[in-house]
Amino acid sequence: PALRPLHGLRALVTAGPTHEPIDPVRYLANRSSGRQGYAIADALAQAGAAVTLISGPTILPPPPGVTLHRVETAVQMLAACDAAMPCDIAVCTAAVADWRIATPVTSKIKKTPGAPPPSLALVPNPDILAHLSRPGPARPRLVVGFAAETDDVRDNAVAKRKRKGCDWIIANDVRAQTGIMGGNENEVTLITATGSEYWPRMSKDAVACGLVRRITAAFDIAPDS
Ligand code: C5P
């Protein structure tokens, strides 16, 4: 059991971007590759957890032993998360689009010569992390969020942990020159209720392993001997 310390626990991981349709051929999206979330799902499964990975569109192969649900939009991701409950551990790495198009249309929007470009009305998407963090009997015992920031990374992430109601937040600096968004490495600060810890730049797999070690400790499971 020490080799699979999370055996018997259920984990939910969200990963990747969401695509929010404008019309049948166009969408709003972001630069998330899904790599960090897939690495976490993989590490949790290797540690013995029963893992459901809810993924937006990515080019990544599913990690072995993980139940993968592919979705496109934030609304679909929320529904897939609810369907995967209850669980013990939720890790929200997905770069969920903050907004979706208020009224996506089923026919391609045409360019009319001389006409002004269309304006897109947006409405807010559901906040999946805040939703999963809401207190109640069905709340996962541990909810972990990510905070991708470009400025005042730590301070913003500390505030975000409180605002979302999650237990831990992993803050990372996604300024373009870091190469983190879409890359293979990450440089993070783990923020809990009691403090914060900086982890120097390392592979996204190594961040995932570090997180699984922390989760194992939090569930008070004896580490490998
Ligand atoms: O508010 P912000 O997008 O910066 O928060 C990031 C964290 O919240 C990430 O863990 C992300 O997966 C989660 N999130 C979410 N649903 C949203 C927006 C963010 O689960 N609609």
Side-chain angles (χ1 to χ4, degrees):
L3 285 174
R4 293 170 63 79
L6 301 183
H7 180 77
L9 296 178
R10 288 166 53 88
L12 169 68
V13 180
T14 71
T18 63
H19 285 184
E20 306 297 336
I22 297 170
D23 69 13
V25 298
R26 305 182 179 98
Y27 56 83
L28 280 183
N30 61 64
R31 295 186 190 282
S32 169
S33 66
R35 284 185 216 288
Q36 185 62 80
Y38 276 57
I40 290 168
D42 194 6
L44 285 167
Q46 285 186 40
V51 181
T52 303
L53 172 60
I54 317 282
S55 175
T58 73
I59 57 164
L60 303 173
V66 163
T67 302
L68 174 68
H69 290 300
R70 291 190 190 277
V71 298
E72 199 157 316
T73 68
V75 167
Q76 291 166 356
M77 187 172 276
L78 176 69
C81 286
D82 278 340
M85 293 293 276
C87 69
D88 303 285
I89 302 157
V91 184
C92 293
T93 66
V96 181
D98 291 308
W99 307 280
R100 66 178 182 276
I101 309 296
T103 46
V105 291
T106 50
S107 307
K108 185 181 171 192
I109 301 170
K110 295 303 241 183
K111 290 190 291 276
T112 311
S119 48
L120 298 175
L122 304 177
V123 292
N125 263 331
D127 191 316
I128 298 165
L129 175 60
H131 172 79
L132 294 174
S133 299
R134 220 167 281 158
R139 186 190 189 280
R141 284 152 70 191
L142 182 70
V143 183
V144 184
F146 270 71
E149 304 282 352
T150 55
D151 302 280
D152 301 323
V153 176
R154 198 182 159 281
D155 289 352
N156 279 327
V158 167
K160 190 166 291 181
R161 194 191 76 84
K162 295 212 181 86
R163 195 165 65 241
K164 303 265 188 175
C166 58
D167 301 296
W168 300 350
I169 264 223
I170 297 178
N172 55 359
D173 183 343
V174 293
R175 278 176 300 179
Q177 66 268 29
T178 65
I180 283 174
M181 198 113 185
N184 284 316
E185 294 186 325
N186 211 345
E187 181 182 328
V188 307
T189 302
L190 172 66
I191 293 157
T192 68
T194 52
S196 73
E197 197 179 295
Y198 167 76
W199 296 0
R201 202 172 173 102
M202 60 182 88
S203 70
K204 288 182 175 175
D205 287 334
V207 170
C209 285
L211 177 62
V212 166
R213 264 196 301 277
R214 285 318 167 100
I215 292 173
T216 302
F219 279 79
D220 204 18
I221 299 161
D224 301 2
S225 47

